[in-house]
């Protein structure tokens, strides 16, 4: 099965159903859908009102790839190299989302990191928790607007990072310190 789905898989499936002679199985595999869902699209029961997206125009497939698979019902559609690279880079750049309810806990997590890891760099806190350097600085110098209510709390328990990420950061800080102790 194709591990990377195309962009807008249902719209792509709609276009492939309407404009090619590919089998439902080929379309389902390429779009990472179930064959019955593709059949439902063809019957008009699923994806009503979705406008088809030509995968050749968007660069996800080449016309030659479509023709090759139309000629052989056992063949599998493959994303173009350009589309594969684009989708993989998009996945890597996903921003870390913090729910609104947890955002107010970030200053507490920053205070905990500053207290328990005094040699931590601001850039490491930014990457771990997903905050800004100005927030970190305001917590450090106690000029944060809510500084009277900030109390150091573990960022893992607050759900702002994973234990593995925190352990990795702490271990990297210890490794940075150890060469200084040996000199």
């Amino acid at each position: 099965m194709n591990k990377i789905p195309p962009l807008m898989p249902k719209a792509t499936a709609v276009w492939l159903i309407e404009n090619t002679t590919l089998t439902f199985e080929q379309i389902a595999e390429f779009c990472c859908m179930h064959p019955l869902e593709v059949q439902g699209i063809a019957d008009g029961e699923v994806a009503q009102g979705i406008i088809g997206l030509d995968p050749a125009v968007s660069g996800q497939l080449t016309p030659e790839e479509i023709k090759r698979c139309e000629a052989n019902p056992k063949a599998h559609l493959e994303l173009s190299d350009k589309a594969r690279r684009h989708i993989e880079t998009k996945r890597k750049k996903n921003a870390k989302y913090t729910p609104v309810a947890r955002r107010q806990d970030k200053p507490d997590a920053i205070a905990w990191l500053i207290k328990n890891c005094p040699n931590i760099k601001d850039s490491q806190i930014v990457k771990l928790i997903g905050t800004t350097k100005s927030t970190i600085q305001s917590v450090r110098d106690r000029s944060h607007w809510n500084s009277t209510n900030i109390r150091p709390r573990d960022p893992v328990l607050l759900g702002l990072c994973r234990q593995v990420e925190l352990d990795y950061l702490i271990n990297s800080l210890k490794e940075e310190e150890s060469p200084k102790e040996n000199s």
Side-chain angles (χ1 to χ4, degrees), residues 141-155:
D141 60 22
R142 300 187 192 280
S143 64
H144 190 272
W145 68 271
N146 197 22
S147 62
T148 56
N149 296 324
I150 294 176
R151 55 181 221 255
R153 293 190 294 164
D154 189 341

Side-chain angles (χ1 to χ4, degrees), residues 80-97:
S80 68
D81 290 335
K82 176 185 168 189
R84 187 177 305 278
R85 284 191 305 270
H86 175 73
I87 291 170
E88 286 172 351
T89 56
K90 281 275 192 192
R91 285 185 181 165
K92 291 177 186 173
K93 292 183 180 179
N94 284 344
K96 185 175 180 181
Y97 176 74

Side-chain angles (χ1 to χ4, degrees), residues 156 162-169:
V156 175
R162 297 184 321 206
Q163 186 68 48
V164 175
E165 297 168 336
L166 182 61
D167 291 343
Y168 179 78
L169 176 66

Side-chain angles (χ1 to χ4, degrees), residues 19-168:
N19 298 292
T20 67
T21 58
L22 295 168
T23 65
F24 290 161
E25 288 78 19
Q26 287 173 310
I27 296 170
E29 181 187 19
F30 178 69
C31 295
C32 297
M33 300 168 83
H34 194 278
L36 292 175
E37 188 174 7
V38 174
Q39 185 175 353
I41 292 171
D43 294 341
E45 298 169 359
V46 179
Q48 293 175 344
I50 292 181
I51 298 170
L53 173 69
D54 184 350
V57 171
S58 64
Q60 298 180 75
L61 287 174
T62 61
E64 296 79 27
E65 179 71 9
I66 294 172
K67 288 176 187 168
R68 179 185 70 84
C69 290
E70 283 178 327
N72 180 4
K74 300 283 184 203
H76 304 284
L77 287 166
E78 295 292 327
L79 273 174
S80 68
D81 290 335
K82 176 185 168 189
R84 187 177 305 278
R85 284 191 305 270
H86 175 73
I87 291 170
E88 286 172 351
T89 56
K90 281 275 192 192
R91 285 185 181 165
K92 291 177 186 173
K93 292 183 180 179
N94 284 344
K96 185 175 180 181
Y97 176 74
T98 305
V100 176
R102 295 234 169 93
R103 291 180 196 164
Q104 68 209 20
D105 296 333
K106 286 185 179 186
D108 293 350
I110 294 167
W112 188 91
L113 287 168
I114 291 169
K115 178 181 176 187
N116 294 300
C117 307
N119 56 343
I120 192 168
K121 297 175 187 165
D122 289 355
S123 59
Q124 293 170 317
I125 297 174
V126 167
K127 189 173 181 181
L128 182 69
I129 295 179
T131 187
T132 62
K133 288 187 177 183
S134 61
T135 303
I136 296 167
Q137 189 57 42
S138 66
V139 171
R140 275 190 203 272
D141 60 22
R142 300 187 192 280
S143 64
H144 190 272
W145 68 271
N146 197 22
S147 62
T148 56
N149 296 324
I150 294 176
R151 55 181 221 255
R153 293 190 294 164
D154 189 341
V156 175
L157 296 177
L158 294 172
L160 296 173
C161 69
R162 297 184 321 206
Q163 186 68 48
V164 175
E165 297 168 336
L166 182 61
D167 291 343
Y168 179 78

